[in-house]
């Protein structure tokens, strides 16, 4: 039952602070699933995961289990993974390729387009049931892709995906333009981690430039103790450079570009330049990759592409990705205090194979379940959730850099300092808008 009026919800978000209830109240979480996750475009994955007719993967849109599938005509569909007979999941596999989805309960058989094709002992239904539109697997009403990345929205109407992304689409361009063949594809496995904390904590943390020196202190110290000469293998080099970078002096963080876009999106620029991290300019693999990219787009354009040092991009409310490092993280809220994050790595088509090994090495350092970096973040999310669940102190203070924002290119604001909490404030502006858009008292 919704016990919040729109005014009460709006009062939870102030210019420089938010009420702890936004992280801890199950009633608000239930409303978020409806009003934010039920309305926004949600990142689901990439077209390379459904490359051929009949290819599919299963995922969730908030609590809703869905199947993302390429139907036999080649169209990408997002189907509600629920049998229209008596309700079970029709598909239990994580991914695969099929000509049909067969419900395990009584064998109703659906086409990849969702249509009900076959029902055992159909004669028991007067007039038959096959082909009835109301008994097809329900379709998520809006599905769209940008540069191969698949999104869907439960809302039958609303802004286009292009309008939803606005200038943040440039982060997708950054990821794809880096591929010499002009395309990327999901490759390797997937990292899944879960934490006992609210879904917003990860989206805030990925664009929080103050925390690394503190949360990741132990790994910074460990990396500093390593001699530089250890960095002879790419994987070791990546690990040491990444960890040392987290311990950069405050002046470096203050110089970063921190950007806020529409709908709660944002990104962090300038964090890692290529000469500081993974694809070090002297690396022969990188030289080969650069040559392949230059051959396709010209040396000048290749330099332009590789000079973009964008780090984390947040596509609110369910995605955080690293275009420069080919990492795509999809956030799935489970409960007010439970969240799953699935991380995918991408291969740059046309790049040397060894570039993908760098990608996997980076994934292991930053997003792997045994990562020395990620584990620190997960620990702090859980401590935050425990603190926010205490009832004695109401407000969370987000005032760093308030009032210092400067307009940037169209649709973007830049933090007046690289450690500004502008991205968090921006996320809550979107939160408030989504959460109060329904008419008063609506569920
Ligand atoms: S519940 Fe699916 S076939 Fe009966
Ligand atoms: Fe972190």
């Amino acid at each position: 039952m919704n016990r919040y009026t729109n005014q009460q919800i709006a009062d939870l978000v102030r210019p420089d602070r938010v009420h702890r209830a936004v992280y801890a109240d199950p009633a608000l979480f239930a409303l978020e699933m409806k009003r934010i996750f039920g309305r926004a475009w949600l990142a689901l994955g990439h077209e390379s995961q459904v490359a051929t007719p009949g290819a599919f993967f299963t995922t969730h849109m908030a609590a809703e289990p869905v199947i993302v599938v390429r139907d036999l005509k080649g169209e990408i569909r997002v189907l509600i993974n629920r049998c229209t007979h008596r309700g079970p999941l029709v598909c239990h596999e994580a991914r695969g390729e099929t000509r049909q989805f067969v419900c395990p309960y009584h064998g109703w058989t659906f086409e990849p387009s969702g249509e009900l094709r076959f029902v055992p002992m159909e004669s028991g239904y007067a007039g038959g049931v096959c082909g009835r539109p109301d008994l097809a697997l329900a379709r998520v009403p809006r599905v769209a892709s940008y540069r191969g990345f698949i999104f869907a929205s439960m809302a039958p109407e609303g802004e286009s995906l292009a309008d939803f992304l606005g200038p943040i689409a440039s982060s997708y361009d950054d990821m794809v333009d880096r591929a010499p063949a002009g395309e990327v594809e999901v490759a390797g496995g997937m990292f899944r981690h879960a934490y006992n904390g609210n879904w917003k904590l990860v989206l805030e943390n990925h664009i929080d430039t103050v925390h690394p020196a503190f949360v990741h202190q132990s790994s910074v110290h460990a990396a500093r103790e390593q001699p530089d000469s250890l960095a002879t293998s790419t994987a070791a080099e990546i690990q040491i450079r990444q960890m040392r970078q987290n311990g950069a002096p405050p002046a470096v963080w203050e110089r970063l570009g921190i950007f806020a876009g529409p709908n709660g999106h944002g990104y962090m620029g300038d964090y890692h330049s290529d000469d500081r991290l993974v694809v070090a300019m002297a690396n022969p693999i990188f030289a080969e990759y650069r040559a392949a990219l230059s051959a396709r787009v010209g040396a000048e354009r290749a330099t332009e592409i590789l000079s973009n040092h964008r780090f984390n991009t947040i596509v609110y409310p369910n995605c955080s990705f690293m275009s420069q490092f080919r990492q795509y993280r999809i956030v799935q809220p489970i409960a007010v205090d439970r969240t799953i994050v699935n991380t995918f790595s991408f291969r740059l088509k046309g790049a040397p194979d060894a570039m993908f090994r760098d990608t996997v090495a980076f994934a292991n350092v930053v997003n792997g379940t045994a990562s020395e970096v990620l584990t620190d973040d997960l620990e702090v999310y859980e401590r935050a959730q425990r603190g926010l669940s205490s009832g004695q102190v109401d407000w969370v203070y987000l005032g760093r850099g308030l009032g210092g924002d400067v307009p940037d290119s169209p649709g973007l604001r830049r933090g007046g300092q690289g450690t500004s909490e502008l991205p968090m404030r921006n996320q809550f502006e979107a939160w408030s808008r989504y959460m109060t858009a329904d008419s008063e008292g609506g569920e």
Side-chain angles (χ1 to χ4, degrees):
M1 212 28 204
N2 175 21
R3 57 184 175 79
Y4 285 92
T5 63
N6 282 354
Q7 188 55 52
Q8 285 169 326
I9 292 173
D11 287 345
L12 300 173
V13 176
R14 310 259 166 96
D16 66 347
R17 64 194 66 202
V18 296
H19 194 279
R20 69 171 191 87
V22 306
Y23 299 94
D25 186 341
L28 279 175
F29 178 81
L31 282 179
E32 287 173 346
M33 294 306 101
K34 211 161 250 182
R35 296 182 181 181
I36 303 177
F37 285 77
R39 182 175 291 136
W41 285 100
L42 301 181
L44 297 186
H46 188 263
E47 289 176 0
S48 58
Q49 295 170 277
V50 288
T52 51
F56 69 88
F57 63 92
T58 51
T59 184
H60 288 81
M61 293 177 68
E64 201 68 48
V66 296
I67 309 171
V68 181
V69 57
R70 192 178 288 273
D71 73 19
L72 300 180
K73 290 190 180 125
E75 207 54 32
I76 294 174
R77 307 273 182 203
V78 183
L79 307 172
I80 304 294
N81 189 1
R82 177 223 187 267
C83 180
T84 48
H85 180 212
R86 298 218 324 251
L89 299 181
V90 167
C91 181
H92 197 66
E93 306 298 320
R95 69 190 74 85
E97 202 171 308
T98 190
R99 312 304 283 179
Q100 57 196 21
F101 296 108
V102 182
C103 178
Y105 207 171
H106 314 96
W108 283 28
T109 300
F110 301 87
E111 297 230 350
S113 61
E115 195 182 328
L116 179 58
R117 170 59 60 214
F118 174 74
V119 170
M121 300 179 288
E122 193 190 5
S123 57
Y125 296 101
V129 287
C130 282
R132 265 175 57 179
D134 59 322
L135 293 175
L137 295 178
R139 282 182 186 164
V140 173
R142 290 190 302 154
V143 181
S145 293
Y146 183 75
R147 300 292 306 261
F149 290 83
I150 305 169
F151 293 77
S153 168
M154 290 290 184
E157 282 165 18
E159 65 186 341
S160 68
L161 177 60
D163 288 345
F164 171 77
L165 292 173
I168 297 299
S170 59
S171 289
Y172 288 94
D173 298 336
D174 181 40
M175 175 110 101
V176 180
D177 288 347
R178 287 169 181 272
E183 279 183 12
V184 296
E185 62 182 348
V186 171
M190 175 188 79
F191 282 126
R192 170 170 292 165
H193 61 266
Y195 61 89
N196 292 322
N198 190 263
W199 59 275
K200 294 186 275 304
L201 293 168
V202 61
L203 298 180
E204 294 165 9
N205 183 65
H206 284 175
I207 207 151
D208 175 331
T209 58
V210 178
H211 88 278
F214 302 94
V215 169
H216 303 303
Q217 203 172 53
S218 62
S219 60
V220 170
H221 286 163
R224 280 184 184 154
E225 284 167 9
Q226 302 303 314
D228 287 343
S229 58
L230 232 195
T232 47
S233 83
T234 311
E237 182 177 349
I238 289 168
Q239 190 152 4
I240 292 166
R241 284 175 181 244
Q242 164 67 31
M243 288 177 185
R244 286 181 181 170
Q245 177 72 8
N246 279 337
V252 169
W253 298 104
E254 293 296 15
R255 281 198 303 271
L256 296 187
I258 198 95
F259 296 91
N263 295 316
H265 313 324
Y267 67 84
M268 184 201 303
D270 318 325
Y271 177 49
H272 288 304
S273 69
D274 282 340
D275 53 356
R276 282 205 300 265
L277 197 71
V278 185
V279 279
M281 293 300 183
N283 182 335
I285 299 162
F286 181 62
E288 201 187 322
Y289 158 63
R290 190 185 186 102
L293 186 61
S294 299
R296 183 186 159 92
V297 300
E300 202 175 312
R301 175 71 182 132
T303 300
E304 193 185 338
I305 290 168
L306 296 174
S307 310
N308 196 353
H309 299 144
R310 201 166 287 196
F311 200 58
N312 288 323
T313 292
I314 307 298
V315 185
Y316 194 81
N318 86 322
C319 182
S320 161
F321 75 105
M322 307 166 109
S323 48
Q324 190 186 347
F325 301 103
R326 306 168 288 281
Q327 304 287 298
Y328 202 62
R329 296 173 289 217
I330 297 185
V331 178
Q332 184 196 342
I334 301 293
V336 69
D337 56 358
R338 182 79 175 159
T339 304
I340 289 176
V341 182
N342 292 325
T343 304
F344 299 88
S345 287
F346 283 78
R347 178 185 282 127
L348 300 173
K349 286 193 181 177
D353 288 348
M355 281 292 287
F356 185 62
R357 290 181 57 190
D358 278 8
T359 303
V360 172
F362 184 85
N364 275 293
V365 175
V366 174
N367 293 313
T369 38
S371 152
E372 294 90 337
V373 179
L374 172 77
T375 42
D376 293 333
D377 291 313
L378 296 181
E379 175 65 24
V380 91
Y381 302 158
E382 298 202 350
R383 291 188 196 181
Q385 190 68 32
R386 283 167 63 192
L388 292 164
S389 302
S390 112
Q392 292 304 307
V393 180
D394 280 340
W395 295 94
V396 172
Y397 189 58
L398 296 172
R400 190 176 179 87
L402 183 70
D405 313 340
V406 286
D408 201 80
S409 49
L412 288 176
R413 283 175 289 163
R414 179 177 175 145
Q417 61 199 95
T419 61
S420 172
E421 285 166 334
L422 164 66
M424 295 78 164
R425 294 190 291 272
N426 184 51
Q427 289 177 16
F428 279 105
E429 283 170 27
W431 184 92
S432 193
R433 213 169 41 245
Y434 278 118
M435 291 289 281
T436 58
D438 282 356
S439 56
E440 196 68 49
E443 279 282 314

